[in-house]
Amino acid sequence: MLAALSIRDVVLIERLSLAWARGLCVLTGETGAGKSILLDALGLALGGRGDSTLVRHGAEQASVTAEFDLPPDHPAMEIVREQGLEAEDTLVLRRVLSADGRSRAYVNDQAVGVALLRRIGESLVEVHGQFETHGLLDPRTHRGVLDDFGGLSAEAGRAREAWAAWRQVEEARANADAEIRRARAEEDYLRHAVAELDALDPREGEEEELAERRAVLMHGERLMEALNGASAELSGDRGAERAIAGALRTLSRIADRAAGRLDPVIAGLDRAAAELAEAVAALNAVSSSIDMDPRTLEKMEERLFALRAAARKHGTSTDALPALRRELAGRLALIEDQGDRLQVLAQQSAQAREAYLAAAQALSAGRVRAAGRLDKAVAAELPPLKLDKARFATVVEPAEGEAGWGPDGIDRVAFVVATNPGAPPGPLAKIASGGELARFMLALKVVLAQVGTVPTLVFDEVDTGIGGAVADAVGERLARLGQTHQVLVVTHSPQVAARGAHHWRVQKATKGGRTMTDVVALPEPERREEIARMLSGATVTEEARAAAAKLIAARV
């Protein structure tokens, strides 16, 4: 609910801080005292249109701060968290309007756009009056309101799930169809490219392997010359092998005479002979692996250049050619399998469509039943509000074609009214006059008291053009609504004012030659005096005071 409202330099309001309460809160005062200024200021904090004329004459800027107490799961708090803003125990909306018309908006002291402020504000307060209305007057809200009233959340959930499943299959079918169309358009290219890559038969890592072998072959003569020289040094007539073998024979013949001192030497020479034999074998293996045939180098270079040319042609690396080959072959296979795949997806889409349609039709049937109950309940509220000749109807009609279907079903829902017998019904905002409109909204809100999450309702002069028993009926319904909502009502009716749980008087005062608007909370005696003034006019009589006391007593 709205917990506090702070206003600075808005039109005739210089400094004003108000603490609000739950239940029915009434604001009264003489015509022209500034009640509309109060609502304009609240609208500014909620993201309404900012006009430089709202800035008090002589001030540089106007500011309005509205503080709300909300449960953590309220939609406004969800919006705040969704936008990455800090969410606290209270939600503070602030708007600053400069004299040059520039505007700044804040949520919990964090700068935001006015559009976001308005979105949050619409989830917190609904204003119903002669000149400004939103909430139920927006036809886009009617379908959700009817579903909530009818307890159709389960049916609506099933329709949304079925819609999502159908959309998912349809998206898969559309994607497959697009892929097949693209594949068909490039079928000749695919066949040619796959044939080329099949003939080339590239392997991952082949380029690096070929480049290494090519480098060896390009230096083959110098390598062989070095290898042959090394072999001669190790294995020739005067090579290391013969020298080590000769040394071993010589030492072995006299080893038994050296009392073991030559054993380490002989063991070392044995190891050297073994290592040398391995090195010679490896050297011979390297020598035999080098192909000195010029045609081998030529073939290897042709293969390497072919791989690189194919990579350039397809805009990829040589190592990626095998994967590209598999991808192109898959796209080609898709063309061949397209009939079966599309047929399966088409069958799945048809089944998903039927499932969605069944869920949507069940939801539609529930809406029609709920519409009948809603119309009957609203009709019962209209006669006491001097709207006995008016007719309220909830129109549930199928959307035009599948283009109108969606996650919320296949219906269009609208609340319409006819204020005169025989007149065709039309949208609330276009058919009803200012006073009638506010009373229609009151009747709807009373019926829908448990529906919706907007905690604060504002009714601006809902009593216009009525009095007596009708005004009392309006007050009774506002008080009933105040049991479940915070209701702010601007009224000239003593019957409505007497029903309030809290009462403020809006008044003008002149200070230092300047006229200012102030708002005063009225304790019980002053409240009785204010209602007496509303009853009697300029001169408050004892009879008016007695009547005021009687009205206040009757509310209990």
Side-chain angles (χ1 to χ4, degrees), residues 176-192:
D177 186 61
E179 289 177 9
I180 290 169
R181 290 179 183 276
R182 287 194 298 268
R184 284 174 178 168
E186 56 183 2
E187 182 175 1
D188 291 341
Y189 159 75
L190 287 174
R191 294 193 183 281
H192 178 72

Side-chain angles (χ1 to χ4, degrees), residues 136-195:
L136 285 174
L137 281 194
D138 184 352
R140 293 173 297 181
T141 68
H142 295 176
R143 186 163 50 193
V145 169
L146 181 62
D147 289 350
D148 289 341
F149 174 79
L152 300 173
S153 59
E155 291 86 343
R158 285 192 286 271
R160 281 191 295 271
E161 291 174 2
W163 169 265
W166 182 26
R167 289 300 91 198
Q168 185 176 6
V169 175
E170 269 295 288
E171 184 178 356
R173 189 191 64 78
N175 289 340
D177 186 61
E179 289 177 9
I180 290 169
R181 290 179 183 276
R182 287 194 298 268
R184 284 174 178 168
E186 56 183 2
E187 182 175 1
D188 291 341
Y189 159 75
L190 287 174
R191 294 193 183 281
H192 178 72
V194 170

Side-chain angles (χ1 to χ4, degrees), residues 428-496:
L428 280 167
K430 294 183 178 179
I431 298 299
S433 65
E436 290 173 333
L437 185 58
R439 278 178 278 144
F440 265 117
M441 289 298 100
L442 176 58
L444 262 175
K445 275 300 179 182
V446 169
V447 172
L448 301 171
Q450 303 303 323
V451 175
T453 57
V454 176
T456 300
L457 306 175
V458 178
F459 288 89
D460 182 13
E461 300 192 9
V462 66
D463 50 16
T464 298
I466 60 173
V470 178
D472 188 61
V474 168
E476 187 274 330
R477 281 155 178 77
L478 286 169
R480 197 194 319 167
L481 199 55
Q483 295 173 4
T484 56
H485 293 70
Q486 181 188 47
V487 180
L488 278 59
V489 56
V490 175
T491 181
H492 290 286
S493 167
Q495 292 90 342
V496 172

Side-chain angles (χ1 to χ4, degrees), residues 13 25 38 53 94 107 122 124 131 152 231 342 379 401 408 485 514 536:
I13 299 176
C25 305
L38 200 63
T53 57
R94 182 161 62 94
V107 174
E122 288 174 350
L124 296 172
F131 306 108
L152 300 173
S231 179
L342 278 180
D408 295 318
H485 293 70
R514 292 188 303 173
S536 63

Side-chain angles (χ1 to χ4, degrees), residues 79-98:
I79 295 173
V80 168
R81 288 189 289 268
E82 170 192 304
Q83 296 296 320
L85 302 174
E86 293 182 8
E88 301 173 358
D89 294 337
T90 58
L91 186 62
V92 180
L93 309 185
R94 182 161 62 94
R95 186 84 172 275
V96 178
L97 181 64
S98 300

Side-chain angles (χ1 to χ4, degrees), residues 375-391:
D375 294 350
K376 185 176 180 180
V378 174
E381 294 291 333
L382 296 181
L385 298 176
K386 202 178 178 181
L387 293 171
D388 48 303
K389 295 182 180 180
R391 182 168 59 90

Side-chain angles (χ1 to χ4, degrees), residues 400-430:
E400 296 179 2
E402 290 191 15
W405 296 4
D408 295 318
I410 57 176
D411 310 306
R412 292 186 301 181
V413 177
F415 299 151
V416 298
V417 297
T419 55
N420 297 302
L428 280 167
K430 294 183 178 179

Side-chain angles (χ1 to χ4, degrees), residues 121-254:
E122 288 174 350
S123 71
L124 296 172
V125 178
E126 282 187 11
V127 180
H128 303 286
Q130 298 191 68
F131 306 108
E132 182 179 8
T133 55
H134 30 96
L136 285 174
L137 281 194
D138 184 352
R140 293 173 297 181
T141 68
H142 295 176
R143 186 163 50 193
V145 169
L146 181 62
D147 289 350
D148 289 341
F149 174 79
L152 300 173
S153 59
E155 291 86 343
R158 285 192 286 271
R160 281 191 295 271
E161 291 174 2
W163 169 265
W166 182 26
R167 289 300 91 198
Q168 185 176 6
V169 175
E170 269 295 288
E171 184 178 356
R173 189 191 64 78
N175 289 340
D177 186 61
E179 289 177 9
I180 290 169
R181 290 179 183 276
R182 287 194 298 268
R184 284 174 178 168
E186 56 183 2
E187 182 175 1
D188 291 341
Y189 159 75
L190 287 174
R191 294 193 183 281
H192 178 72
V194 170
E196 277 191 339
L197 290 174
D198 283 345
L200 186 61
D201 191 23
R203 293 181 291 105
E204 293 182 10
E206 187 177 4
E207 181 186 21
E208 183 178 358
E209 178 186 335
L210 288 172
E212 290 177 355
R213 293 177 60 191
R214 175 172 174 259
V216 171
L217 292 177
M218 290 177 66
H219 301 89
E221 291 186 3
R222 294 183 62 186
L223 283 172
M224 288 304 299
E225 182 180 345
L227 291 173
N228 290 336
S231 179
E233 293 291 338
L234 296 175
S235 304
D237 292 340
R238 300 178 63 184
E241 283 184 313
R242 291 178 64 86
I244 292 174
L248 277 171
R249 286 194 301 273
T250 300
L251 293 175
S252 296
R253 286 196 293 266
I254 62 171

